[in-house]
Amino acid sequence: MSLPYVLAAVACLLVVIGLMELVAKRLKLPPSVLLAMVGILIGSGASLLLFSSVPSALDPVAAVFVFPPLNSEVFLYVFLPALLFQASLSLDVRRLLEDAAPIFLLAVVAVIVATFAIGYALTPVSGQPLVVCLLLGAIVATTDPVAVIAIFRDLGAPARLTRLVEGESLFNDAAAIALFVLLLEALTNDTPITIGSAAETLAASAAGGILVGLVGGWCALVLFRLVRDIPAALMTISLALPYLVYVVCELALDASGVSAVVTAALVVASGGPTRVPPDAWRHVSEIWDQIAFWASSLIFVLASLLVPKLLGGVDFGDLASLVVLILAAFLARAVVLFLLAPLLTFLRLSERVPNPIKAVVLWGGLRGAATLALALAVTESTVIDQDAKRFIAVLATGFTLYTILVHGLTLRPLMRILKLDQLSPFDRALREEVLALALGNVRDAVAQAADDYDIAPAVARAAGRPYEARIASAKTAGEKAEDILDRDRVTLGLVALADQERSILLEHVNERTVSTGIVSMLVVDAERMREFSRSNGRVGYRRAARRALDYSLAFRMALRVHRFTGYDRWLIRELSDRFERLLVSRIVLGELLPYVRNRLAPLLGERVGDIVEEILSLRREAVAKALDALRLQYPDYANDLERRFLLRIATQQEEREYRALYHDHLIGAELYSDLERGIEHTRTTLDRGTRLDLGMRTRDLVAQFPLFANLTAEQIDRVVRLLRPRFAVPGERLIRKGERGDSVYFISSGAVEVITGERRVRLGRGDFIGELALLYGVRRNADVNALGYCQILVLEGEAFKALIKRYPEIGKEVERVAEARNQSNRDGGHPEVGSIEPITDRRPVAGFEDEDEEDRLARRLTALMHWRSPGRAKD
């Protein structure tokens, strides 16, 4: 077949596709349904033209439509990876995980149930072997969401409904294709198949695909960092990714290529926006949307061209089998939705799925190009019996046409009947408030424009009069609408606040004022706050905010490694990251305050605005306290971080100035390029920064300790060999009351709090603790917690006794302080070491040592980590 004719045919199809979008919009039909109809008409018309007795100059083009130069591999290897990748790339991974259980039920369990229900229902009616009918069941178990999603978006369907259908379609193809391959091998090789072997094969195929997808997605994110400022390079890497993982799985590993593509796309979707500038990510997303539009439209038209050929020789028996197929598929899907789905709610694996949503999911299970592609793959086999091939091709094609023409055209009326095209009472009431607020701003803008352009006041009033009427109408409708509870308004405000925080963080990435690695962690925190707020309101937001201030698992592990091995590079890196995270958080939270006052408060009400602002202020205060704790210990590093942040802002402003001069034709391209190179050099220098000095060199700590001030250098070296440095974090419990004493702690820097009965005593630099238990052979009589970041020297029991024996002056000083403390304890005071404060309601934090049950229940972030809201008890 001549290439020019093929290109001409494809070009004609693209023109038709472009025009059908307009027609579908006018007729309010799903574009994919219209394209399927047009494809069938084109295929039928081309057949009449080609096989007519009158020769025509268009016969070569008609031949392309009748015998298109494609097969099932073109559908599965060219179109399918692109469609799957784009659909997964646009999903919200965290929201998808909320419905992981029902999506798994629809995508995997429903495929298996439908396959066996169809197979056993068709076998006695059709006269075909069971394995052939099971193969047909696997083929028609695939769903195509394109038409359904278009209807959902047009009608404003509930977000959960869209999420369920999209999630099902992504993983449904993986299960159906894996089952199809298994059954096809059983049919062609005449080998038996059992449920156990089928389940094992499906699980292994899916697991292999997921693993490849994770590795491929992670590698793509690593490459994204290298080319983050080159949109064309980003797009090229993202385009190669789905095809690479798909081909590797299908040809090299015998794993699920569909699972690999979906997993890789989800990894990229979750990490990509925080690793590349928003403009570059938008560029990638828009190109993928265009690719998906071309691919989905072409695949519908090309698959529809094959319908006349696949439906050749249909008889009454085929129609009877088609009716059985339709009933079996419908009933199998209904059983899964209405009998198995409630079990997920009963087992607390998922929130309840309302019946109207179940009904739409049941009716919206349209079939499309994937079903036709698998049927085409069967017809291309040289091993399968011709009668079986015709049976599968006719029924698969007939079932696809039925779902497109019947379900696709009646889905919109069904949604209207079930009232799924309407806003919830909450959204209806909120809509009127949004209208009143937005239209008021528009009215003010019209008046301001009239002043700016010297337009007569009468004309300005006439132009603003329609807006006055609409504002009045919105206020009237808002008064009639159901009231929105303050609790719901606060939840909405906190969700919006978390979304705005995420946007600000991504904007900082775009401006290159903060590092992408730090923003990635903060974006995860913001998304967690959004999801916790959505499910638990202000309580959930506070819980997520406290979690964001907690020490990460990596930090805790690094601290333990440093404590037991002395290796400090990991701890330094984690501490540096925490430093920068807190600094960026403080800056971003400051930027959120005007958003609350100027945007949320006018929309949700002043009372709700005050509540949200109070929650935000408390969170900002907690972040500031945590940052101050680090600043007190490492002031030079804190100043360097802030200096680099300001220099990054200055560099960004400098780049804007150069760009403006270039666009205004005031400097040439050569000079502009030279200035840009200077900007990049400055950014590279700023990204290096300075290394945090943990300050844990034992000799330096000993030398600055007052107790050892009179020792010679040689004596200090001996003492250093006895001491072990320890880094403590705020809230860490150093000593537990009632335990046996085996060490003395010398505080080189920082502060600790000693809790003895009803008294609290604060000790700081130059003090030591724990000597009483060793000198008098008693158990610890107090709890000791770190108030801030502390550098402590630990002296084990035997080494302590050797030290005071070798150096009598030190021993006398220790004994003097111990005796004074012991006497003070008997007298009810502690004048030697600091002031005594009455005990408060704060509880010590057991951050790193083993906790008993009481400690676990009482665990709170105290001095510098956790914060408490005045209204928490009510929540």
Side-chain angles (χ1 to χ4, degrees), residues 609-626:
D610 290 342
I611 294 174
V612 173
E613 184 174 346
E614 179 188 3
I615 293 172
L616 181 63
S617 298
L618 288 170
R619 183 181 162 209
R620 189 169 182 237
E621 179 183 345
V623 170
K625 287 182 178 180

Side-chain angles (χ1 to χ4, degrees), residues 640 644 648 681-691:
D640 181 70
R644 279 190 285 150
R648 284 189 177 114
H681 176 73
T682 302
R683 282 184 172 141
T684 303
T685 304
L686 290 174
D687 288 341
R688 292 197 192 103
T690 56
R691 187 172 183 268

Side-chain angles (χ1 to χ4, degrees), residues 59 70 199 499 640 684 817 874:
D59 284 350
L70 52 88
D499 286 334
D640 181 70
T684 303
V817 173
K874 296 179 181 179

